[in-house]
Amino acid sequence: MTEKETLLEVKDLHTYLYLEQGVSKALNGITFDIKKGETLGVVGESGCGKSMTALSIMQLVPDPPGKIASGEIRFQGENLLEKNKREMREIRGSRIAMIFQEPMTSLNPVMTVGKQIEETIRIHESVSKAEAKKRAIEMLKLVKIPEPEQRYYEYPHQLSGGMRQRVMIAIALACHPDLLICDEPTTALDVTVQAQILKLIAELQKKTGMSVMLITHDLGVISQVAERIIIMYAGRIVEYGTRQSVFTNPLHPYTEALLKSVPRLSDEDGKELYMIKGMVPDLTKEQRGCLFAERCPYAEKRCFEEEPKLYDTGSGRVCCHRYGKRGNDK
Ligand code: SF4
């Protein structure tokens, strides 16, 4: 099998938040890549660095208090951290697009949805008004909004939550990006609509050949769509592997705990869902050892004293002393 071409490469990225109580290492040296046409899942609890990863790629980290302290973000071979504001504005929307959890906060409430799609097209491409309108209606059709010619004239508040998210996807895809970043795109929706939106993203990804980075706190959400999965904890990547390896043979205790907290059809009625005890550590405090040690059922003395290495697992990577103990320590 030929290896797919790399679209995005993130190397040893550090993004810090300079807060009154100290420097929070929101991203503490993360490294990963996304291949062309691939769907990469990024999973973890809130505050683990998922959204900060997306904002760093888009260079939308709120400054102050945030700053990318070091690292590289290579997109189609170019280091995005060397781009100026104008160059980044051109890349955002045309080559990399992003959709968020709550479309109502991203959509303009006083502009029809059709006009909003049209505007995105006209910012990035020199097309006539008539051509932009035709494309906007085509986009509404593409994201399966019924009666697109009429919906074009509607305002965001006239649409359901699911329809609004479809409009956001239409805006994001209007200029044919190579990478679509979806940050918790279905969290605010009910389960049936959630499944429809995920199916739509997967269909559009196949149709356009774009890559998708799907960020979620819920492993269940990406079980059907992601080819590879990153598990983040406290600003670091603790496990990285294929969907198959992460779901059938999780190597990090945090991944194991996240899998246990996914509800299953076979679960008995009334059975309480598994909860991971404790909290993500305060990232402004100096840390020793493994950052998951306080919550880990397998923690030993060494875990509190020594930072675990990142081990190559063959199909990915894992950051845990237990993996080394199983004879993988070379
Ligand atoms: Fe648990 Fe130790 Fe592995 Fe950390 S290094 S995840 S505390 S076993």
Side-chain angles (χ1 to χ4, degrees):
M1 205 172 81
T2 51
E3 169 100 341
K4 282 187 192 170
E5 221 178 295
T6 301
L7 179 76
L8 177 90
E9 221 177 338
V10 173
K11 285 190 198 161
D12 200 22
L13 182 67
H14 291 75
T15 302
Y16 297 164
L17 299 175
Y18 296 84
L19 307 168
E20 252 172 50
Q21 61 271 36
V23 180
S24 171
K25 293 181 178 169
L27 293 182
N28 199 356
I30 62 164
T31 297
F32 68 94
D33 62 20
I34 302 182
K35 307 288 182 202
K36 271 195 180 162
E38 171 185 48
T39 298
L40 178 79
V42 181
V43 188
E45 290 161 287
S46 51
C48 69
K50 307 178 302 273
S51 296
M52 197 51 81
T53 304
L55 293 175
S56 299
I57 295 169
M58 298 292 275
Q59 286 187 48
L60 290 173
V61 175
D63 175 12
K67 264 204 175 19
I68 296 177
S70 61
E72 259 182 47
I73 302 173
R74 293 206 158 265
F75 180 68
Q76 294 173 324
E78 302 167 64
N79 189 356
L80 296 186
L81 299 184
E82 286 167 0
K83 302 278 173 204
N84 62 31
K85 285 191 174 154
R86 185 187 52 79
E87 289 167 330
M88 261 326 285
R89 260 199 308 273
E90 276 165 23
I91 290 173
R92 280 195 299 266
S94 63
R95 291 164 64 193
I96 308 178
M98 185 161 170
I99 54 171
F100 299 89
Q101 182 183 136
E102 186 31 84
M104 229 17 201
T105 51
S106 315
L107 290 169
N108 182 343
V110 293
M111 193 188 269
T112 65
V113 292
K115 276 273 175 234
Q116 295 189 52
I117 304 173
E118 222 178 285
E119 224 177 47
T120 310
I121 297 171
R122 290 185 51 123
I123 287 171
H124 294 285
E125 294 174 36
S126 53
V127 292
S128 68
K129 269 189 168 183
E131 172 63 19
K133 182 177 178 185
K134 193 171 142 241
R135 290 241 320 252
I137 293 172
E138 276 167 15
M139 290 312 297
L140 289 172
K141 239 184 244 169
L142 185 73
V143 296
K144 301 186 178 165
I145 291 197
E147 301 165 333
E149 285 85 1
Q150 283 85 58
R151 298 288 181 166
Y152 174 92
Y153 296 101
E154 289 185 4
Y155 291 89
H157 74 267
Q158 294 174 283
L159 303 176
S160 67
M163 285 294 164
R164 285 200 288 264
Q165 197 53 291
R166 283 173 195 265
V167 170
M168 281 310 299
I169 296 171
I171 293 174
L173 299 193
C175 294
H176 316 293
D178 298 298
L179 173 64
L180 175 67
I181 301 177
C182 308
D183 190 0
E184 304 273 8
T186 60
T187 305
L189 305 171
D190 71 46
V191 182
T192 325
V193 184
Q194 213 176 70
Q196 289 166 359
I197 296 289
L198 288 172
K199 193 166 162 242
L200 175 70
I201 293 173
E203 275 173 24
L204 293 172
Q205 191 241 353
K206 275 208 185 83
K207 206 178 265 179
T208 60
M210 66 183 173
S211 308
V212 174
M213 179 170 156
L214 181 58
I215 295 173
T216 174
H217 63 279
D218 182 352
L219 258 179
V221 162
I222 53 165
S223 58
Q224 301 300 317
V225 290
E227 284 146 72
R228 287 188 300 160
I229 297 172
I230 283 176
I231 309 288
M232 290 193 74
Y233 186 76
R236 291 165 193 242
I237 292 175
V238 293
E239 185 161 359
Y240 184 11
T242 59
R243 175 179 60 189
Q244 166 85 358
S245 66
V246 168
F247 276 89
T248 57
N249 184 26
L251 295 171
H252 197 281
Y254 181 56
T255 314
E256 204 179 289
L258 284 175
L259 278 169
K260 272 201 231 164
S261 48
V262 176
R264 276 164 237 278
L265 277 176
S266 55
D267 285 347
E268 299 149 31
D269 279 349
K271 190 179 154 197
E272 260 185 58
L273 267 183
Y274 178 81
M275 295 269 291
I276 308 172
K277 289 194 190 84
M279 308 249 295
V280 180
D282 179 351
L283 298 179
T284 59
K285 300 249 161 67
E286 208 42 60
Q287 309 286 343
R288 256 185 99 200
C290 170
L291 297 185
F292 191 56
E294 293 288 348
R295 308 171 77 184
C296 180
Y298 309 105
E300 310 175 337
K301 194 167 166 272
R302 179 188 182 191
C303 302
F304 292 92
E305 293 164 355
E306 210 183 297
E307 194 181 319
K309 321 198 278 204
L310 196 60
Y311 294 94
D312 198 327
T313 63
S315 61
R317 279 173 272 155
V318 66
C319 182
C320 173
H321 289 312
R322 275 181 97 217
Y323 191 77
K325 250 177 99 177
R326 290 178 199 160
N328 298 304
D329 213 347
K330 294 188 191 108

